[in-house]
Amino acid sequence: MAVFLTGNHELVPAALMHNMKHNKIVHSEVIFLTVGTEQIPRVPKCDKIDVEKLGAGMYRINAHYGFMEQPNIDTIFALSRDKG
């Protein structure tokens, strides 16, 4: 599994393209992770994660945090598992 952080959930991360160019492979599971800050202090857990299955073992995860919260990768993955 590979996780690529991306600031724009509409684009393929440059790190993935470089990995494909140099290693000539793609991992069996690929996650594109975007973490955004909302205009509210805290985002409820039920609204914190959006998971989208892109196909071929690729997923897009958008994590939403309030401006008073600290993003936590363990929480992001736990909530993502709960959403499939």
Side-chain angles (χ1 to χ4, degrees), residues 6-80:
T6 177
N8 183 342
H9 64 270
E10 298 295 324
L11 300 176
V12 174
L16 173 62
M17 301 305 290
H18 290 293
N19 185 50
M20 289 176 57
K21 179 181 177 184
H22 294 289
N23 298 320
K24 311 262 189 287
I25 62 164
V26 176
H27 291 78
S28 60
E29 291 183 291
V30 176
I31 296 173
F32 303 115
L33 175 59
T34 304
V35 179
T37 304
E38 304 299 327
Q39 296 293 320
I40 57 176
R42 300 195 181 280
V43 175
K45 273 191 176 181
C46 61
D47 297 329
K48 197 171 287 294
I49 301 293
D50 298 321
V51 178
E52 182 180 354
K53 293 180 183 179
L54 303 174
M58 296 190 179
Y59 302 86
R60 177 179 296 132
I61 299 174
N62 293 317
H64 309 276
Y65 279 85
F67 60 82
M68 295 291 292
E69 295 179 287
Q70 188 80 342
N72 182 304
I73 196 73
D74 293 329
T75 302
I76 291 170
F77 287 139
L79 292 171
S80 297

